[in-house]
Amino acid sequence: MHTRRHLIAAGFASTLLAACTTTPVNQERPPIVFMHGNGDSAALWQTTIWRFESNGWPRDKLIAVDQPFPLARDDDTVVQPGRSSTAESMAFLKAEVDRALKTTGANKVILVGNSRGGNTIRNYVQNGGGDQVVSHVVLGGNPAHGIWAVKGRQERNEFSGLSPFMQQLNAPKNGNGDEVTPGVKWLTLRSDNNDKYAQPDGIWIGAKGTATNIGFDGPALKGATNVVLPRVDHRETSFSPAAFDATWRFLTGEAPRTLQPAPEAQVVLSGKVTGLGLDSRDPASGAFVNNLPLTGGRLVVFAVDTTTGARRGPPAWEQTIAQDGRWGPFTAQPNTSYEFVLGAPGYATTHIYRSPFPRSSSVIQLRPERIPEADRDARALVILTRPRGYFDAERDTMRFDGQAALPGVPPKGSGVSSSKVKLPSDAPRAVASEFNGERVTGQVWPAAQGDVSVLELTY
């Protein structure tokens, strides 16, 4: 797997990070609140939480939050249905931190954020009173100086380096010109040149050949400990083994015992079922993601053969989703692969195949798919998705239904996290995938009957 690459990268930062610790390992662990990025959910922190647990951080001190409307507005000053402003995002995080402090009895909290989550954290610490209750901040792939800084291009969007929001965040805080709020320990993690949102060229923002005026070092902040993780992509700045290694060293001053999740004897799974909102600009698209509970759906879970995706017997779990959208708790068998079948009005019946779960998790998000009009001609649809990272044809070893070149994944660059095959036949058969050693196999289901298969990678 690509773990070795991450281990090497993390090693470069070891000495620097060990010098920054203010949380000795022999003291009681403070709570950590994890803030996801734009359009994402708490589920992305699953493997990070596993790694913290496997190194001794108490499970009840690891809190991944779900912002109801995780997408930023096009214009931060204009109300936009299904989207959140910087002020709304900050208020959400403040409430979650207050809840974590009350629940745990702690007087300080650690904040860890990915991408847009870093904007929210910085805003809260600087402008929402967070400097009084936050001891450490870790920002992975945060567009700290914007994704673009182009005059006339959405200058009131929070991702513009010219926006009033970004300008006030980056205003010097002292005579040294530090960009971070004093009194808090700051760590930024970034890629050397492989983060799609820290690129000098606008290829990933629909402006190929146009300068963004943002460099590869855009996520770095003056006054913070800034660490470079070679070849990681935008999401891997937070969710990779290398990111965990750097974070653990920064928080404790010591190397972690392990970078991999330690298996548990009993695995209990739960999470939330969410849906898709409507894009206000195109009501037919269903393009808006949100983290609101999807109620009234039906979940059925089957144990499946790891190599073929075929069901191994009757359902292992069945449940109608209630008003809170929560599902579980389901006691899973170690070393067993599962198919999660999710049906809900207005959605395709979605068959989600996952690798075996080595540990318990309460942040497993399940979201049914819709079949786009452009795919109605397919007899069967199979989607391969990697929520915690992107596919990189130059870097990764990949196969999807026998193809080394994944459909929809460009030959260069790390900016696509899903691939889809449209099959000319819906005859039952196995569809296999592999990504850097992780293998997920599912079964074909007929699109004409409203079914879609999803192979979801964990790592």
Side-chain angles (χ1 to χ4, degrees):
M1 290 180 67
H2 59 310
T3 302
R4 183 175 181 273
R5 181 182 69 246
H6 292 320
L7 289 173
I8 295 171
F12 295 149
S14 301
T15 302
L16 178 64
L17 292 170
C20 299
T21 179
T22 57
T23 308
V25 293
N26 60 350
Q27 291 185 1
E28 184 180 354
R29 303 297 192 194
I32 303 177
V33 175
F34 298 92
M35 184 70 193
H36 60 73
N38 196 49
D40 290 331
S41 74
L44 271 68
W45 297 106
Q46 176 185 282
T47 54
T48 302
I49 290 172
W50 282 347
R51 292 180 178 110
F52 270 100
E53 291 174 352
S54 298
N55 284 277
W57 212 285
R59 177 170 288 168
D60 62 355
K61 299 288 186 69
L62 301 168
I63 305 162
V65 300
D66 250 337
Q67 187 171 4
F69 298 106
L71 286 167
R73 295 174 177 178
D74 291 333
D75 182 327
D76 193 43
T77 66
V78 177
V79 174
Q80 190 174 4
R83 303 229 180 186
S84 56
S85 68
T86 54
E88 290 167 337
S89 192
M90 180 179 75
F92 167 79
L93 178 59
K94 182 182 187 306
E96 293 295 331
V97 170
D98 289 347
R99 183 179 294 110
L101 293 172
K102 183 177 180 180
T103 301
T104 63
N107 56 18
K108 290 282 186 177
V109 68
I110 295 167
L111 297 181
V112 178
N114 174 251
S115 193
R116 186 198 183 198
N119 288 357
T120 302
I121 288 172
R122 294 184 67 201
N123 195 17
Y124 167 59
V125 172
Q126 181 170 317
N127 302 310
D131 59 325
Q132 301 301 306
V133 296
V134 176
S135 63
H136 296 68
V137 168
V138 179
L139 307 176
N142 173 227
H145 297 92
I147 295 171
W148 65 85
V150 180
K151 204 158 183 62
R153 181 186 177 93
Q154 294 183 293
E155 290 182 48
R156 292 191 298 185
N157 183 290
E158 77 170 80
F159 298 124
S160 170
L162 304 180
S163 67
F165 170 75
M166 195 64 71
Q167 291 288 305
Q168 64 89 20
L169 277 189
N170 292 328
K173 309 299 186 290
N174 53 30
N176 294 327
D178 287 349
E179 297 171 303
V180 295
T181 302
V184 177
K185 298 291 184 181
W186 295 82
L187 170 67
T188 77
L189 302 174
R190 71 170 179 91
S191 178
D192 49 357
N193 59 14
N194 203 34
D195 185 332
K196 67 185 289 187
Y197 295 125
Q199 294 290 323
D201 185 87
I203 181 171
W204 292 113
I205 59 171
K208 184 178 181 180
T210 300
T212 63
N213 299 319
I214 301 295
F216 299 129
D217 62 348
L221 286 166
K222 188 170 184 181
T225 299
N226 299 297
V227 172
V228 178
L229 304 176
R231 292 303 294 164
V232 298
D233 63 45
H234 178 64
R235 288 180 175 168
E236 289 172 342
T237 58
S238 289
F239 309 122
S240 65
F244 171 75
D245 183 270
T247 299
W248 183 271
R249 292 172 188 271
F250 177 72
L251 297 179
T252 70
E254 295 188 359
R257 293 193 302 266
T258 178
L259 296 185
Q260 301 307 320
E264 287 184 305
Q266 184 177 53
V267 175
V268 180
L269 307 178
S270 63
K272 187 164 65 174
V273 176
T274 63
L276 297 167
L278 294 179
D279 190 325
S280 58
R281 295 162 299 184
D282 180 12
S285 71
F288 264 131
V289 296
N290 61 54
N291 292 318
L292 300 177
L294 178 63
T295 63
R298 183 72 178 166
L299 173 65
V300 185
V301 182
F302 295 89
V304 298
D305 185 277
T306 300
T307 58
T308 67
R311 294 172 182 173
R312 290 170 42 184
W317 179 263
E318 294 185 74
Q319 180 180 355
T320 297
I321 307 303
Q323 289 297 314
D324 62 359
R326 298 293 303 179
W327 72 271
F330 160 56
T331 300
Q333 296 300 313
N335 304 313
T336 299
S337 296
Y338 286 97
E339 172 196 359
F340 299 82
V341 185
L342 187 58
Y347 292 88
T349 299
T350 305
H351 304 256
I352 304 168
Y353 296 86
R354 294 284 302 263
S355 295
F357 291 83
R359 298 183 63 83
S360 299
S361 178
S362 62
V363 294
I364 302 171
Q365 187 190 75
L366 301 174
R367 175 180 282 138
E369 297 284 335
R370 291 192 177 115
I371 300 177
E373 282 298 326
D375 295 334
R376 298 282 180 183
D377 58 332
R379 298 296 298 274
L381 284 174
V382 185
I383 300 167
L384 172 63
T385 181
R386 186 182 179 226
R388 296 166 191 87
Y390 295 89
F391 298 122
D392 189 329
E394 295 182 306
R395 180 194 67 179
D396 301 317
T397 301
M398 307 178 291
R399 293 194 74 81
F400 182 21
D401 198 27
Q403 303 177 59
L406 273 56
V409 175
K412 183 179 178 64
S414 210
V416 175
S417 61
S418 66
S419 177
K420 176 172 57 183
V421 292
K422 298 168 61 173
L423 301 176
S425 170
D426 57 13
R429 69 173 178 89
V431 177
S433 68
E434 180 180 352
F435 178 83
N436 290 341
E438 181 182 2
R439 296 175 176 86
V440 180
T441 301
Q443 286 281 314
V444 168
W445 296 89
Q449 296 180 21
D451 290 68
V452 173
S453 300
V454 176
L455 314 183
E456 182 177 325
L457 295 161
T458 296
Y459 301 99

